[in-house]
Amino acid sequence: MFHVLSVVLPIFALILVGWLCRRTNRLGPQAASEINKLVVWLCLPAMLFKVTATSTWAEIWQPGFLAAFTGGCLLVFFATLVWRLVQGRALPAASIDGLSASYANTGYMGIPLCLLVFGQDGLEPALIASLLVVCVLFAIAVVCIEVGLQNEKHIGRAIAVVLKALGKNPLVVSPILGGLWAAAGIGLPTPLLHFLDMLAAATTPCALVSLGLFLAQKQETQGAQVNAWPMVAIKLVGQPLLTGFLAYQVFDLPPLWADSALLLSALPTGTGPFMLAEYYQREAAVVSRSILVSTLGSLVTLSLCLLWLAR
């Protein structure tokens, strides 16, 4: 419990700072959207570019772990997406719901927690999981949202509209450019690396402060609270159970990699879904509630995971 608290408390502190700044009018009513734009257009693209530009195939090629963790994420994402579509939700909203149920906070919580639990050996699975969540899962959600937003009926023109929209989206373009940079075998110059590091370091605190600002200025209705609970339950219970089954039973991973996959999948919802919900103006109230409740609930579920891993 101490390990979990040491990682979770700074998250609540940053959300509280944003909440207090809005409540005391230190930051205005547009601050949440403007800070979120800073994250979407500058900070997160810098992080995505840096991560993909400095990664090597040898570092991320862990087939069993990739299959178990990515399989758990994508199965939960698409199952939630289909479920919400059957309920009558539009594709953009259903996509964000799917992301809320599958987007683990691997960067801010996963990396320090794995280091605390597994030592330096836990860094590699945490970094790989972060890369998968931020690049693969996030990109798929953005594609689904863009497909749902276009109104063109002709298939050829529809594809052209979606590709044009994706080509303008910094969250899609930046990891692609980073991958091309890495493939070219060109190292990042030190000044550029420092520039990217400075922007990337602001991603999580800015996103959490923006979340606090949003919670302070928009009081969720009871319906929003109710709608958030299914995503929270899927994220904290369904995803770790599914990923654990894949890691231990299907792929029979070595203990470190299986335990890491389970712990990382049990993390609460990260800020990625909120960034997209606010950016696309799609029910950010429900997403913000999911992040807040899942982070609070993870105090219990992560502690149970840690007790089970110590068996």
Side-chain angles (χ1 to χ4, degrees):
M1 177 65 80
F2 174 77
H3 289 330
V4 179
L5 279 173
S6 67
V7 176
V8 170
L9 286 179
I11 293 178
F12 284 117
L14 285 166
I15 295 174
L16 178 61
V17 166
W19 189 88
L20 290 173
C21 284
R22 182 67 198 102
R23 282 298 186 180
T24 57
N25 209 31
R26 294 298 184 271
L27 293 173
Q30 302 303 316
S33 294
E34 294 304 316
I35 293 177
N36 193 64
K37 288 178 183 177
L38 169 70
V39 174
V40 171
W41 285 96
L42 291 176
C43 302
L44 187 55
M47 183 177 73
L48 292 172
F49 178 84
K50 181 206 166 190
V51 168
T52 51
T54 57
S55 297
T56 64
W57 186 251
E59 290 174 335
I60 64 174
W61 184 240
Q62 300 290 338
F65 179 81
L66 290 171
F69 186 80
T70 309
C73 287
L74 294 183
L75 286 172
V76 168
F77 173 80
F78 284 112
T80 306
L81 174 67
V82 171
W83 168 55
R84 299 301 262 174
L85 287 174
V86 170
Q87 289 188 324
R89 301 271 282 173
L91 181 57
S95 301
I96 293 175
D97 286 343
L99 198 62
S100 296
S102 58
Y103 190 99
N105 194 347
T106 53
Y108 192 75
M109 288 185 65
I111 292 175
L113 191 58
C114 281
L115 285 172
L116 284 170
V117 176
F118 305 113
Q120 195 65 29
D121 290 340
L123 182 60
E124 188 173 357
L127 290 174
I128 294 173
S130 299
L131 188 64
L132 292 171
V133 167
V134 175
C135 294
V136 178
L137 182 61
F138 204 72
I140 291 173
V142 171
V143 171
C144 290
I145 293 170
E146 291 289 355
V147 169
L149 290 176
Q150 63 87 22
N151 297 316
E152 181 61 62
K153 301 303 180 184
H154 186 275
I155 185 64
R157 287 194 291 267
I159 293 174
V161 169
V162 172
L163 290 177
K164 183 178 179 181
L166 293 175
K168 295 179 180 179
N169 193 308
L171 305 178
V172 175
V173 174
S174 53
I176 293 175
L177 293 177
L180 293 174
W181 189 288
I186 305 173
L188 289 174
T190 301
L192 176 58
L193 185 60
H194 289 168
F195 169 75
L196 294 173
D197 282 337
M198 292 171 70
L199 278 176
T203 301
T204 296
C206 285
L208 290 171
V209 169
S210 175
L211 175 58
L213 290 165
F214 183 86
L215 289 171
Q217 72 185 29
K218 295 185 180 179
Q219 297 300 310
E220 289 78 22
T221 64
Q222 183 176 359
Q225 296 181 31
V226 172
N227 287 335
W229 280 105
M231 270 64 75
V232 173
I234 293 170
K235 180 71 206 69
L236 296 182
V237 179
Q239 188 175 1
L241 286 176
L242 177 59
T243 304
F245 174 75
L246 293 174
Y248 292 106
Q249 301 298 323
V250 177
F251 298 103
D252 193 22
L253 299 180
L256 170 66
W257 291 92
D259 293 347
S260 298
L262 174 64
L263 188 62
L264 290 163
S265 66
L267 294 167
T269 305
T271 54
F274 174 74
M275 294 179 208
L276 287 188
E278 180 70 11
Y279 180 69
Y280 287 105
Q281 297 297 300
R282 299 278 167 167
E283 297 189 8
V286 178
V287 179
S288 63
R289 176 66 59 175
S290 298
I291 295 171
L292 202 59
V293 174
S294 67
T295 302
L296 184 61
S298 68
L299 290 171
V300 176
T301 56
L302 284 175
S303 296
L304 291 175
C305 279
L306 291 173
L307 287 174
W308 190 81
L309 293 179
R311 67 197 185 282

